[in-house]
Amino acid sequence: MRVIIVKNAEEMGKKAANLIAEEMKEKTSFILSLATGSTPLPLYKDFIKRNKAGEMDFSTVITFNLDEYVGLDPAHNQSYRYFMNKNLFDHINILKKNTHVPNGMAEDIDASCKEYEKMIDEIGGIDYQVLGIGGNGHIGFNEPGSSIGSLTRVKTLTDETISDNARFFEKKEDVPTQAITMGIGTIMKTKKVVLLASGANKADTVKAALEGPITSMCPASALQLHRFATYVITEDCAAKLTLNYETV
Ligand code: GLP
């Protein structure tokens, strides 16, 4: 596991963009899996800057988002489809038809989850996975207790996650209680992973994920078994780590 400690969130975005851009250069078609939440925003800003400067071309990139709330229409301003359009896709030269977000409105949700997983497999798998981390160690919406081998499916959100995400909704009761998420097993199949975390409030979570035991109670700890997982984290977020890591 590679851990890179950077000064601040802007540097975190830049470093992660560098890692992904390097990899993109090597491929004619690139399969990228993306996360939502506030943490990856500096990365998406950096992607937009590079794309506008002609340094990064997204015209042949295909994306698969990690997750989506069940019951939110893509046009809802808290849906993850809306988030991705607003914060990234609307500002880069990606083809919208090449961007995939799980369908939280599907009539047969289980079938649509299976179909999502199949699409990823049939395209040859994900080249680079971007992850954030929830306060309880979740990745995507794989809440504590999620099977480490799990594939795309519906998960019921924990009270902690509902409270954490309530800040984006008018009131806590508006937060959907279920979400579709790529599984931990889906994430483990990806070729490379970069997990981003910033801020002192994630220091305990990152410590548990990186230096604690591998356990379904801290879903991000499963990345200890991934062959190409990199954490890019800010100094304040790394404050509780005890081993020596790369500092840039
Ligand atoms: C949501 C998303 C996760 C994200 C997490 C953390 O629960 N499903 O993918 O990592 O929020 O969000 P933030 O980066 O805002 O702390």
Side-chain angles (χ1 to χ4, degrees):
M1 184 108 74
R2 186 175 177 200
V3 179
I4 305 171
I5 302 172
V6 296
K7 292 243 162 331
N8 52 42
E10 195 186 336
E11 292 298 318
M12 176 193 72
K14 225 185 264 176
K15 184 73 203 168
N18 278 346
L19 295 174
I20 295 168
E22 276 303 302
E23 200 73 13
M24 254 168 88
K25 268 198 257 161
E26 307 294 318
K27 308 216 160 132
T28 40
S29 140
F30 192 71
I31 319 298
L32 182 61
S33 178
L34 297 169
T36 51
S38 46
T39 311
L41 287 175
L43 167 66
Y44 299 157
K45 280 205 181 104
D46 211 80
F47 277 163
I48 295 167
K49 206 164 95 192
R50 287 170 197 239
N51 185 243
K52 294 217 185 300
E55 294 161 12
M56 236 176 147
D57 175 24
F58 288 86
S59 62
T60 58
V61 172
I62 298 173
T63 65
F64 287 90
N65 259 76
L66 272 172
D67 47 12
E68 179 60 284
Y69 289 113
V70 169
L72 285 199
D73 189 271
H76 189 287
N77 67 6
Q78 290 309 325
S79 79
Y80 284 172
R81 160 56 76 183
Y82 185 95
F83 175 100
M84 290 311 301
N85 287 348
K86 178 170 151 236
N87 292 300
L88 183 64
F89 300 150
D90 284 347
H91 311 288
I92 58 174
N93 70 333
I94 200 162
L95 300 176
K96 281 277 169 63
K97 70 173 172 61
N98 286 343
T99 67
H100 304 90
V101 179
N103 179 6
M105 298 295 282
E107 257 176 49
D108 186 340
I109 293 260
D110 289 341
S112 84
C113 291
K114 285 205 181 79
E115 184 54 33
Y116 201 71
E117 189 78 28
K118 196 166 143 224
M119 261 198 298
I120 295 172
D121 287 340
E122 284 182 354
I123 212 154
I126 285 159
D127 292 309
Y128 230 117
Q129 172 72 58
V130 175
L131 292 177
I133 185 168
N136 60 9
H138 75 220
I139 44 178
F141 268 129
N142 292 286
E143 296 283 37
S146 292
S147 155
I148 290 180
S150 54
L151 301 177
T152 305
R153 71 215 182 291
V154 172
K155 281 299 289 180
T156 297
L157 306 184
T158 59
D159 285 341
E160 186 179 347
T161 298
I162 291 174
S163 300
D164 281 354
N165 291 356
R167 67 190 193 276
F168 300 113
F169 292 80
E170 247 174 58
K171 49 188 190 310
K172 193 174 162 192
E173 293 68 42
D174 293 342
V175 184
T177 55
Q178 290 193 312
I180 298 173
T181 182
M182 281 165 53
I184 301 177
T186 320
I187 293 166
M188 294 304 286
K189 285 191 278 182
T190 60
K191 292 169 197 140
K192 294 198 172 180
V193 177
V194 61
L195 185 147
L196 308 179
S198 56
N201 61 326
K202 296 273 176 79
D204 285 317
T205 315
V206 162
K207 163 122 182 96
L210 271 173
E211 295 184 347
I214 298 171
T215 163
S216 64
M217 291 312 284
C218 178
S221 67
L223 294 179
Q224 293 176 30
L225 293 171
H226 196 288
R227 280 192 296 162
F228 287 101
T230 303
Y231 275 58
V232 182
I233 55 179
T234 56
E235 271 174 9
D236 51 356
C237 189
K240 300 208 169 155
L241 298 177
T242 54
L243 304 177
N244 292 334
Y245 299 105
E246 265 174 77
T247 307
V248 293

